[in-house]
Amino acid sequence: MYRTHLDDYAKQFESFLRLRREDGILEARLHTDDGPLRWNLEVHRGLIPAMAAINDDPENECLILTGTGDAFLAEFDRPGWKRHGFHEPFTSYHGYDIFYKDQTREPFALLNLQIPVIAAINGPSIVHAELALLNDIVLASENTHFYEGHWDGLGIVPGDGVHTLFRELLGPNRGRYFLLMGQRMGAHEARDLGLVGEVLPSDQLLDRAWEIARTVFMSKNRIQRRLTRSLLIQPWRELFTRELFSGMAHESLACYDYWPMSDEPGYDIGDLVKRDPSTTTPAQ
């Protein structure tokens, strides 16, 4: 029967994922040149087959998803965005072939995993928070903060799933406030509001993830483990099935009218990261 093998897909996706497995627990570490991940369109698309390959390997029984260094996902690969023409007028290539086509699949690549997933968020997460927050157990280091820059940083519709994610995690009013006000939410507040389960010192984060993998998940029966994952993740699958496609259609359509990387001379998507925190409204 069809299956994948770690030696094969570890090499295939090594440009952005470092994989190691021990006793059925697979650690997937996001990286760029073995440093913190710089988000580009190749990673965005590559995560889709990478998660499928992990899912189709029967030797994987639990996944730990983490980042490298002091950031989970907090930097953009500027040359990559230029390489795909995002400093030029917005076209169907950008709106459909990249934005819509990829982002209507990427969250489901994670949600479709049949094994439990532990997120070990090792620092700031400022884009695609679903990679961190759509998981069974979510841990964060003390230096972690969350920021959502579609509206505040880019001035575009926040429709790639964050409209669903933060509404469900924070509640309708608080979720909209977070999306629109450009806040940076620290790790301890994120724990208090229910986004993460534990906050740990950076040097203890990954050890704690492995401890949970071994004691909470691998100590249980294989079928019980997998079907518990299926049951508990199903509400997210239903919500994203209902709302993600419309959200991405709204975001992509609106970008035809205004796309800042082409409309504003000198605009750089890196501004999402480099904005001065003092200019944003602090979370209360």
Side-chain angles (χ1 to χ4, degrees):
M1 297 178 69
Y2 175 78
R3 60 156 297 172
T4 55
H5 298 269
L6 178 59
D7 288 345
D8 297 330
Y9 59 83
K11 183 173 180 60
Q12 181 180 359
F13 302 112
E14 65 183 357
S15 65
F16 62 91
L17 276 181
R18 296 294 186 202
L19 301 173
R20 71 180 182 101
R21 184 169 62 206
E22 183 179 317
D23 300 327
I25 303 166
L26 181 70
E27 179 186 297
R29 177 170 59 83
L30 297 163
H31 78 99
T32 299
D33 299 329
D34 283 320
L37 181 69
R38 296 193 296 272
W39 186 252
N40 62 32
L41 301 162
E42 287 81 7
V43 175
H44 192 193
R45 180 161 294 178
L47 282 168
I48 300 166
M51 292 299 119
I54 290 170
N55 205 35
D56 287 330
D57 184 347
E59 295 184 46
N60 296 326
E61 288 295 336
C62 182
L63 174 66
I64 297 171
L65 182 63
T66 191
T68 299
D70 60 359
F72 182 76
L73 207 177
E75 188 174 353
F76 288 85
D77 173 31
R78 292 171 173 85
W81 289 81
K82 290 183 178 179
R83 183 166 59 248
H84 288 278
F86 274 85
H87 283 264
E88 302 167 7
F90 200 87
T91 69
S92 61
Y93 169 71
H94 308 101
Y96 173 76
D97 291 278
I98 294 183
F99 277 8
Y100 186 89
K101 186 177 179 181
D102 287 358
Q103 191 55 19
T104 54
R105 295 182 297 158
E106 181 250 86
F108 289 102
L110 192 61
L111 292 172
N112 288 341
L113 288 168
Q114 296 172 322
I115 57 176
V117 184
I118 301 168
I121 309 170
N122 57 301
S125 170
I126 61 90
V127 65
H128 288 287
E130 72 276 2
L131 295 173
L133 300 176
L134 280 184
N135 295 299
D136 300 286
I137 299 290
V138 183
L139 312 174
S141 60
E142 291 177 329
N143 66 313
T144 294
H145 71 256
F146 296 94
Y147 168 67
E148 204 330 279
H150 278 82
W151 182 256
D152 175 62
L154 289 171
I156 65 173
V157 175
D160 72 345
V162 293
H163 60 301
T164 300
L165 182 70
F166 287 109
R167 181 197 70 220
E168 291 299 306
L169 291 174
L170 295 172
N173 284 0
R174 187 67 178 81
R176 284 192 297 269
Y177 193 84
F178 180 75
L179 291 176
L180 297 173
M181 295 299 289
Q183 294 182 337
R184 280 162 173 76
M185 181 181 293
H188 290 282
E189 183 179 16
R191 181 194 57 199
D192 293 344
L193 292 175
L195 276 71
V196 308
E198 298 181 18
V199 178
L200 300 115
S202 296
D203 60 357
Q204 298 177 22
L205 178 70
L206 203 52
D207 286 344
R208 177 59 174 155
W210 277 87
E211 178 188 10
I212 291 173
R214 292 188 175 102
T215 61
V216 174
F217 292 118
M218 298 304 292
S219 63
K220 305 300 189 294
N221 173 272
R222 175 177 179 269
I223 302 304
Q224 300 288 345
R225 176 170 59 242
R226 286 169 171 258
L227 291 185
T228 297
R229 153 73 178 187
S230 176
L231 178 66
L232 295 184
I233 210 67
Q234 182 62 21
W236 280 123
R237 289 167 52 86
E238 294 178 8
L239 283 167
F240 272 67
T241 297
R242 189 172 70 219
E243 299 181 5
L244 180 59
F245 299 88
S246 173
M248 275 312 303
H250 280 73
E251 180 177 322
S252 298
L253 175 62
C255 287
Y256 281 92
D257 186 67
Y258 172 70
W259 175 242
M261 293 174 72
S262 62
D263 296 339
E264 295 182 5
Y267 187 91
D268 195 315
I269 199 166
D271 291 344
L272 270 178
V273 187
K274 302 302 182 184
R275 290 170 61 87
D276 180 357
S278 66
T279 67
T280 65
T281 304
Q284 301 297 318

